[in-house]
Amino acid sequence: MGRDALKYLILAAMLFALITITGCPSEGSAPKSAVKIPESQVNRTHMETAASFATRICNKWNDGVFEPISPVAATSQLISALPPERQKSMFEEQILPEYGEFKRLFYKETYIANGNHIFRFRGDFEKGGPEVRVTITPMGLVGGFWIRPWNEELE
């Protein structure tokens, strides 16, 4: 095995260890310090950013398009955790068989933890309604994106 191939293999193994089964980056669970924000205090700009990001990426996946995430929209950690190859394998091997194709999102609630806004949406997919979770940093960048089984409580 060549040196470049070994580097790629080690990098892939490290990324896999950091990413949850259907999300990224690092952990899919919310910090214990997460506090629910009353509807009247939700940052609408951040909510629209989160909904737009999730809708756009899910619609692209439905169309078979797996592109690098824009550094204008997301943190470098998310970009590194979700390269096109990872997006494709997640969609084809986990999301599509479990939930089918994406249709739309419904906003449910917002939490804040460590300065990050955690937006929870209920996804409407062909075969079910998973949680679509997007975290937005204080700078307005997407810092995390998950599609996971729905739970009434934030986990």
Side-chain angles (χ1 to χ4, degrees):
M1 181 179 292
R3 188 177 187 134
D4 288 337
L6 185 58
K7 283 182 188 177
Y8 178 78
L9 185 60
I10 291 170
L11 178 61
M14 288 182 351
L15 283 175
F16 182 77
L18 290 174
I19 299 171
T20 61
I21 237 167
T22 59
C24 57
S26 71
E27 301 175 23
S29 59
K32 296 198 184 311
S33 62
V35 175
K36 188 172 181 178
I37 298 175
E39 185 82 24
S40 62
Q41 295 177 12
V42 171
N43 182 320
R44 298 290 172 203
T45 301
H46 284 179
M47 183 178 70
E48 290 169 9
T49 298
S52 175
F53 177 86
T55 299
R56 189 172 52 253
I57 199 166
C58 287
N59 280 329
K60 284 183 178 185
W61 291 354
N62 282 351
D63 294 336
V65 177
F66 306 94
E67 302 174 328
I69 296 171
S70 168
V72 174
T75 63
S76 59
Q77 293 89 349
L78 182 65
I79 293 166
S80 296
L82 268 185
E85 306 79 32
R86 173 73 175 135
Q87 294 176 44
K88 185 176 193 309
S89 67
M90 247 177 31
F91 180 71
E92 292 177 350
E93 297 169 15
Q94 298 165 3
I95 297 167
L96 196 57
E98 178 94 15
Y99 303 113
E101 287 195 354
F102 170 79
K103 295 180 186 176
R104 63 186 164 266
L105 292 176
F106 298 99
Y107 171 76
K108 289 298 182 184
E109 59 192 356
T110 304
Y111 289 78
I112 192 162
N114 304 321
N116 294 308
H117 288 83
I118 302 167
F119 293 94
R120 294 184 76 211
F121 300 92
R122 185 75 186 250
D124 180 15
F125 286 69
E126 288 177 320
K127 300 180 194 175
E131 176 182 354
V132 178
R133 184 182 301 180
V134 182
T135 60
I136 302 292
T137 69
M139 300 295 292
L141 297 173
V142 178
F145 176 67
W146 296 267
I147 297 175
R148 51 186 290 145
W150 180 261
N151 190 319
E152 290 300 322
E153 301 295 321
L154 179 70
E155 290 185 335

